[in-house]
Amino acid sequence: MKKLFRLMRYDWPLHFVLLLTNWLPDNVCIIRMRGMFARPFFRRCGKRLGLGRNLVFYDPSKIEIGSWVYIAYGCWFSAGFAVKIEDEVMFGPYNVVASSNHTRLNNSFRFGNPEGREVIFRKGCWIGANCTVLSGSDIGNGSVVGSNSVVRGIVPSNCVYAGNPGAVKKVFND
């Protein structure tokens, strides 16, 4: 019964909003309108959410979004566990955020119980295009994750983090 409630309260309405607005162009007005319509279907959502087209949110009831957040075209959020996005965070296109991992059961990954930890995006961080952010990651305030990077673990505040595996490339001193 809980799963049915979650589907009817969060998942299906959000998918319906995204489906109805995906044919509209990605310009400032439409991006803000799409975010305004989607806001009620997350666990918590601040003001001025901007959403690009072709987004996927698995279990939005576990996703918390702050104010002035922008999520670009083609991002994919799998919230098996909590995903927390603080204020002023920006996501470039085609990012993958996964807060859980598959486990094995009887030599197969298909039916193993998922395991994971929350993923946190701290205030003012920027995730470049085509990044993968894995379970248990915590991206610090004001940090930049370079395009095509893989994040697993803690990214310090105020730095440029890039690569696969990711590493700190530069520290901001302002």
Side-chain angles (χ1 to χ4, degrees), residues 18-77:
L18 296 176
L19 175 71
L20 288 178
T21 61
N22 262 345
W23 63 276
L24 297 168
D26 272 352
N27 62 43
V28 175
C29 293
I30 302 301
I31 286 169
R32 287 184 183 163
M33 180 192 73
R34 193 177 291 123
M36 181 184 68
F37 289 151
R39 283 181 62 214
F41 307 114
F42 294 101
R43 176 181 209 128
R44 185 186 69 75
C45 189
K47 63 183 179 182
R48 292 293 208 158
L49 173 63
L51 297 178
R53 291 183 295 142
N54 293 329
L55 303 177
V56 176
F57 294 97
Y58 287 110
D59 202 351
S61 68
K62 295 179 183 171
I63 299 174
E64 296 180 16
I65 301 175
S67 296
W68 292 93
V69 170
Y70 171 66
I71 302 172
Y73 185 97
C75 290
W76 189 83
F77 290 80

Side-chain angles (χ1 to χ4, degrees), residues 52-122:
R53 291 183 295 142
N54 293 329
L55 303 177
V56 176
F57 294 97
Y58 287 110
D59 202 351
S61 68
K62 295 179 183 171
I63 299 174
E64 296 180 16
I65 301 175
S67 296
W68 292 93
V69 170
Y70 171 66
I71 302 172
Y73 185 97
C75 290
W76 189 83
F77 290 80
S78 179
F81 291 81
V83 173
K84 295 181 181 175
I85 303 167
E86 294 183 356
D87 298 340
E88 303 169 22
V89 174
M90 297 185 304
F91 292 88
Y94 300 107
N95 287 300
V96 174
V97 176
S99 66
S100 62
N101 296 314
H102 296 280
T103 60
R104 288 171 45 101
L105 178 66
N106 299 326
N107 297 319
S108 171
F109 284 98
R110 178 65 182 103
F111 296 108
N113 289 325
E115 62 180 26
R117 296 190 328 258
E118 74 179 355
V119 175
I120 303 172
F121 298 90
R122 304 285 178 183

